[in-house]
Amino acid sequence: ALSVYDRLAEDGLQPSAVTCSCLISFATEVGEYERAVEFFESLCKLATPSIRAYMSVLRVHAKRQDFASAVAVLRDMDRRQVGVDALALNVVLATGVSLDQLDAVEQLVAEASAKKPPICDVVSYNTLLKGYAQRGRADAALKAIEQMHSLGLAPNAITFHTAMDAAVRAGRNADAWGLFADFQSAGLVPDKFTCSIMVKTLSVGATEAQVSSMLELLAAVEPNGCATLKTTLYHSTFEAAVAAHGGGAELPAKVFAQMRRHKVKPTAAMQRAMVQLLPTGAAAAIR
C-alpha cells in the first residue's frame, strides 16, 4: 500500500483524507513511524482526523517516546472538539511517565479531572501513581487516592500496590501498612505482588506488629507456584523478626514454625539463630 502511494506521489496525485487515514494505519503497522506522522499531518490539513487516526498517531508518539508531540496531538483533539476520552489521555500519560515528565503528567491529570464530566479514570490515576512511585513521593500518592475518591473512582489493587510502593520507596513504612489496611477495607484480595511490596517494609526498623502482620499476610496468600519467591519472603520476615524482637525467641519461633508448615527450608544461619534464641531443650528440636 505504501509503495502504491509512492507511485501516486511521483505522478503528482494528492491523497484524499480517507487515503491519508488508511496510510497512517499502514505505516504504523510496518513500523514506519516517521511516515505515519507525515500522513497524519497531511490529513490534518485536509480534514478533522477521526478518533481512530488520532489514536494511531498517539500510539506512534508513544513508541517514539515523543511526549511533547503526544501532548500536542491531545491539545489538537480538544481544540477541534473531537472528544478527548480516557483512552487517548492514558496513552499520553503513560508516555509522559515513562520519560519521567511527572510535572506535565500532573498538569494533564488536573485538567482532565476538572472537566465536566471528568475525563480521568482509574487507569489515569494509576499511571500518575506510577510516576509518584518512581520518585518515592508518598504524600502525592496518598493525595492522588483522595482525589480518586472525590471523583467517585474506586481504587483497585494496582492503585494500592503502586501507592504502597511509593510509600516503601520513601521509607514511609507506617503509611504503607496504612494503605494495606485500606486495601483490605476495600475488599481487595492480597497476592504475591502485595507480599513482595510489603516485605520491603521489614528491611529497616520493622516493629513486632509489622512482622506479625507480614506473617499473617504470607499465611493468607501462600504464594504457591513460585518457591523462590516464597523462600525469599519468609527468610526476610524471619530476619526482621529476630531484629524486632530484641533477643527474644517468641516472634522468630513463630515465623520459623510457619516456615516449616509451609515447607520453606531455613538457611544454616537461621537455624543457628534459633538455637541461640531458644532454651537448650527446645533448641535441640530444630536441629
Side-chain angles (χ1 to χ4, degrees), residues 43-101:
L43 173 59
C44 288
K45 294 174 183 177
L46 297 171
T48 296
S50 65
I51 288 288
R52 180 178 179 180
Y54 272 118
M55 289 303 302
S56 293
V57 80
L58 283 174
R59 292 189 178 102
V60 165
H61 290 318
K63 291 179 182 296
R64 298 169 69 226
Q65 294 286 276
D66 188 346
F67 179 58
S69 293
V71 172
V73 169
L74 197 69
R75 301 289 190 205
D76 188 64
M77 291 177 72
D78 195 34
R79 181 178 65 81
R80 294 183 187 241
Q81 298 183 336
V82 172
V84 178
D85 59 10
L87 186 59
L89 173 67
N90 293 341
V91 172
V92 180
L93 296 179
T95 305
V97 168
S98 70
L99 296 169
D100 197 32
Q101 297 293 315

Side-chain angles (χ1 to χ4, degrees), residues 15 43 68 93-94 96 116 120 123 127 147 171 204 213 223 251 254 282 287:
L43 173 59
L93 296 179
K116 305 295 182 184
C120 288
V123 175
T127 304
Q147 291 171 344
V204 178
S213 295
L251 187 57
K254 187 177 179 180
R287 287 191 175 93

Side-chain angles (χ1 to χ4, degrees), residues 198-209:
M198 297 311 297
V199 76
K200 296 175 186 175
T201 66
L202 307 184
S203 60
V204 178
T207 65
E208 291 186 32

Side-chain angles (χ1 to χ4, degrees), residues 132 150 193 284:
Y132 291 144
S150 71
F193 299 108

Side-chain angles (χ1 to χ4, degrees), residues 150-178:
S150 71
L151 293 171
L153 298 174
N156 59 19
I158 294 174
T159 309
F160 283 110
H161 283 161
T162 311
M164 286 187 281
D165 187 39
V168 169
R169 294 188 188 208
R172 302 268 291 273
N173 294 342
D175 285 328
W177 282 104

Side-chain angles (χ1 to χ4, degrees), residues 204-217:
V204 178
T207 65
E208 291 186 32
Q210 290 170 349
V211 174
S212 295
S213 295
M214 187 68 214
L215 199 58
E216 292 173 5
L217 176 58

